[in-house]
Amino acid sequence: MKKAKGIWGILLCMALFLSACGGSTSSSSATSGRSDASSTGASTNSTSASAASADTSGGDGETLTFQYFAMTMEVEWLLQIEEALKELGETYNFELLTSDANYDINTQLSQIDTAITQGIDGAFLFIVDEGSATAAVDKFNAAGIPVIGETLKLQDGNGNNVAPYVELDAEAVGGECGTWIAENWENCGIEISDWSKVGVISNTQTTRQSDLSRSTGFENALKAGLPEIPEENYLIADNAAEANNNDAENSYNQVSAVLAA
């Protein structure tokens, strides 16, 4: 039990660190992710205390093994998260393993099964499919392995939290991008004489809530900063229409199709 409590303390400390260093994590979502954490063995009121007093050696001096279950390792954000966790591992005496699901939820669930069999001590989970969060968390709970979500919510179909998570404030991130363009487009050597000929293509993935939130934040900020762009000139290139998992290729294909149309 001491080891389990120590692991929870470390994981919660890691989550707080990621929330602080991310800069654009949603404080309300991150808080709600922890507020229901009592069902998984932690609580909001004890989070800071647990993190501060975490038994970083797992109770008997051995190095713990945590695993980062990533949606993909092709995205810079996830590479930075992995690097941050590795650095924290040097401080908190844990080894970090990383799994790349390549956008495939079945692959990720299989990776979780394998990691549980191998006896990991804790998990960070960037769920591929938010609708499968319960299935993934249930696997960890059945094995008695603490898990904390990263970037996306870990909720059931009714919107109830099934494990703690640190959620990226994707809408705010998109908003910053839209604001930057509205404030700096003139410095990019662009001349616009007819705003009716200006179009905006939001390249997104409509099956991923974080992607949709970024697009929403971007468009809202851009519309506020550049109201001259006609509403009908805002278009969507939806990567969900593509069959493969290569976001760069999908983006090219979808944007090309929108331009052709």
Side-chain angles (χ1 to χ4, degrees):
M1 179 61 70
K2 180 181 180 182
K3 179 176 180 180
K5 289 182 178 179
I7 294 171
W8 260 116
I10 298 172
L11 284 173
L12 288 170
C13 184
M14 302 303 101
L16 290 171
F17 173 85
L18 293 175
S19 178
C21 75
S24 58
T25 49
S26 169
S27 58
S28 61
S29 296
T31 301
S32 68
R34 291 191 299 269
S35 65
D36 285 352
S38 57
S39 63
T40 57
S43 66
T44 304
N45 293 335
S46 64
T47 296
S48 298
S50 297
S53 61
D55 181 351
T56 59
S57 64
D60 53 9
E62 85 276 22
T63 299
L64 299 173
T65 300
F66 294 163
Q67 190 150 336
Y68 178 35
F69 296 88
M71 175 186 290
T72 175
M73 292 307 291
E74 295 179 348
V75 178
E76 183 64 26
W77 163 257
L78 279 77
L79 293 173
Q80 292 174 356
I81 293 295
E82 180 190 41
E83 185 60 30
L85 291 173
K86 286 181 177 179
E87 292 178 4
L88 288 167
E90 297 177 0
T91 300
Y92 290 95
N93 192 32
F94 69 85
E95 174 190 9
L96 183 73
L97 306 177
T98 300
S99 297
D100 182 347
N102 193 28
Y103 299 104
D104 189 308
I105 185 59
N106 291 322
T107 296
Q108 188 169 70
L109 293 174
S110 177
Q111 290 170 341
I112 291 173
D113 288 335
T114 300
I116 290 174
T117 300
Q118 293 174 343
I120 63 170
D121 297 299
F124 300 97
L125 176 61
F126 189 152
I127 192 72
V128 171
D129 171 23
E130 289 170 283
S132 299
T134 299
V137 171
D138 282 349
K139 290 177 180 290
F140 290 115
N141 288 344
I145 297 174
V147 56
I148 283 182
E150 184 268 306
T151 297
L152 299 181
K153 296 179 176 71
L154 294 180
Q155 295 183 334
D156 62 20
N158 296 318
N160 300 310
N161 298 328
V162 295
Y165 56 83
V166 180
E167 182 191 17
L168 175 70
D169 189 346
E171 188 165 342
V173 170
E176 290 183 11
C177 295
T179 298
W180 188 93
I181 291 176
E183 294 176 349
N184 294 280
W185 70 270
E186 292 181 290
N187 299 324
C188 298
I190 301 173
E191 294 184 5
I192 299 177
S193 58
D194 186 355
W195 285 95
S196 68
K197 295 182 179 180
V198 176
V200 179
I201 302 177
S202 293
N203 188 250
T204 189
Q205 170 69 272
T206 56
T207 61
R208 300 178 195 156
Q209 185 56 51
S210 62
D211 288 18
L212 284 172
S213 296
R214 276 195 296 273
S215 293
T216 297
F218 172 79
E219 290 191 5
N220 288 341
L222 192 62
K223 289 176 180 178
L226 294 176
E228 300 89 347
I229 301 176
E231 178 73 28
E232 62 269 20
N233 287 11
Y234 280 82
L235 307 170
I236 293 179
D238 185 6
N239 283 354
E242 296 289 321
N244 66 65
N245 293 322
N246 188 316
D247 272 357
E249 180 180 344
N250 293 343
S251 297
Y252 179 86
N253 292 339
Q254 286 297 307
V255 171
S256 296
V258 171
L259 291 175

